């Protein structure tokens, strides 16, 4: 499963948009540009609101052959036939999620330290995100940046694909590659008027350095 994962991982945040319609428009523009891995992360939505948005997101991602992961809510992921889930520190373990979802669904796990990384590997997750690598407002609440040196250490020790998360931009993508990351995860970088242009820059860079 991991061998087929795209190199760019988009994590949604509705707060960047005036309304749901604007978010879905931005998402479709990214999908049309080549985005193929999406996480619907909206923690503030009720179960009903998340389900309704997930239905629309699932339709868009299906139209473009992209994979959709739902943050935390395994029930919603199953209900909309998503490709899998992404789990955080307060979610069910990857082991529990795998028992529920079965072997064919994708399970990603957010990690910030060795204990979380070990649990993700033991639980047979398909990939992890690690960060924040650089400072970014969207991840400021998770503490100071981990930095490139820590990312390199993690990439050398784990067998799972690692997506570098937090403040990753075109100008530091080469550093992330050198550290050994499988790919990059983006939140704020792909949720504004320049998101398609930014995605294209990331894509060209990743192709050039073969990330």
């Amino acid at each position: 499963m991991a061998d087929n994962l795209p190199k760019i991982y988009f994590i949604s945040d509705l707060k960047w948009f005036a309304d749901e319609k604007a978010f879905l428009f931005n998402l479709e523009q990214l999908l049309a540009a080549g985005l193929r891995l999406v996480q619907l992360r909206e923690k503030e939505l009720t179960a009903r609101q998340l389900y309704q948005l997930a239905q629309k997101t699932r339709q868009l991602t299906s139209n473009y052959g992209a994979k959709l992961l739902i943050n935390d809510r395994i029930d919603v992921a199953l209900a909309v036939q998503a490709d899998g889930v992404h789990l955080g520190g307060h979610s069910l373990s990857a082991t529990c999620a795998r028992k529920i979802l079965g072997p064919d669904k994708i399970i990603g796990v957010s990690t910030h330290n060795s204990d979380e990384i070990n649990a993700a590997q033991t639980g047979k997750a398909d990939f992890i995100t690690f960060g924040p690598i650089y400072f970014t407002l969207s991840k400021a609440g998770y503490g100071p940046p981990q930095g490139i040196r820590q990312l390199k250490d993690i990439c050398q020790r784990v067998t799972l694909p690692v997506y570098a998360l937090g403040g990753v931009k075109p100008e530091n993508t080469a550093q992330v590659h050198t550290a050994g990351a499988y790919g990059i995860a983006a939140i704020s970088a792909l949720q504004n008027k320049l998101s398609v242009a930014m995605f294209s820059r990331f894509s060209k860079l990743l192709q050039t350095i073969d990330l």
Side-chain angles (χ1 to χ4, degrees):
M1 181 69 72
D3 293 339
N4 298 321
L5 290 173
K7 302 293 187 177
I8 302 177
Y9 181 28
F10 171 68
I11 303 172
S12 75
D13 188 346
L14 281 176
K15 294 192 293 291
W16 283 85
F17 302 96
D19 52 32
E20 180 185 287
K21 183 178 179 181
F23 162 71
L24 292 171
F25 176 81
N26 181 73
L27 176 59
E28 183 160 20
Q29 296 299 302
L30 289 169
L31 290 167
L35 177 68
R36 292 297 179 263
L37 182 59
V38 177
Q39 177 192 339
L40 192 61
R41 185 177 178 265
E42 312 307 326
K43 298 180 180 181
E44 292 79 14
L45 299 183
T46 65
R48 179 177 296 180
Q49 290 171 330
L50 180 62
Y51 170 70
Q52 291 172 341
L53 180 59
Q55 284 184 304
K56 298 171 185 177
T57 307
R58 170 74 287 185
Q59 185 61 60
L60 278 179
T61 53
S62 293
N63 290 345
Y64 288 90
K67 300 180 186 301
L68 172 65
L69 308 184
I70 304 298
N71 189 80
D72 193 35
R73 296 300 299 261
I74 296 174
D75 54 342
V76 174
L78 289 170
V80 302
Q81 299 182 347
D83 297 284
V85 295
H86 190 89
L87 306 173
H90 300 290
S91 305
L92 289 176
S93 68
T95 300
C96 290
R98 182 62 72 198
K99 289 179 180 178
I100 297 170
L101 293 171
D104 298 327
K105 294 294 186 180
I106 301 170
I107 296 177
V109 178
S110 294
T111 66
H112 309 89
N113 56 58
S114 295
D115 288 342
E116 293 174 344
I117 291 168
N118 292 336
Q121 290 197 115
T122 301
K124 297 182 180 180
D126 292 291
F127 71 89
I128 62 172
T129 59
F130 180 73
I133 306 303
Y134 307 98
F135 175 79
T136 176
L137 287 175
S138 63
K139 289 292 181 180
Y142 291 91
Q146 300 276 1
I148 283 293
R149 182 174 297 180
Q150 186 71 357
L151 173 64
K152 182 177 181 179
D153 178 64
I154 294 301
C155 291
Q156 289 176 339
R157 292 194 293 110
V158 303
T159 57
L160 298 175
V162 179
Y163 283 90
L165 172 66
V168 180
K169 301 175 182 178
E171 52 264 35
N172 55 40
T173 297
Q175 287 184 315
V176 169
H177 166 252
T178 301
Y182 174 86
I184 61 172
I187 302 178
S188 58
L190 297 181
Q191 302 193 87
N192 53 59
K193 294 180 180 180
L194 300 176
S195 60
V196 174
M198 185 69 75
F199 176 81
S200 296
R201 288 183 66 191
F202 276 130
S203 296
K204 291 177 181 178
L205 279 168
L206 297 179
Q207 291 171 5
T208 300
I209 62 179
D210 193 29
L211 184 62

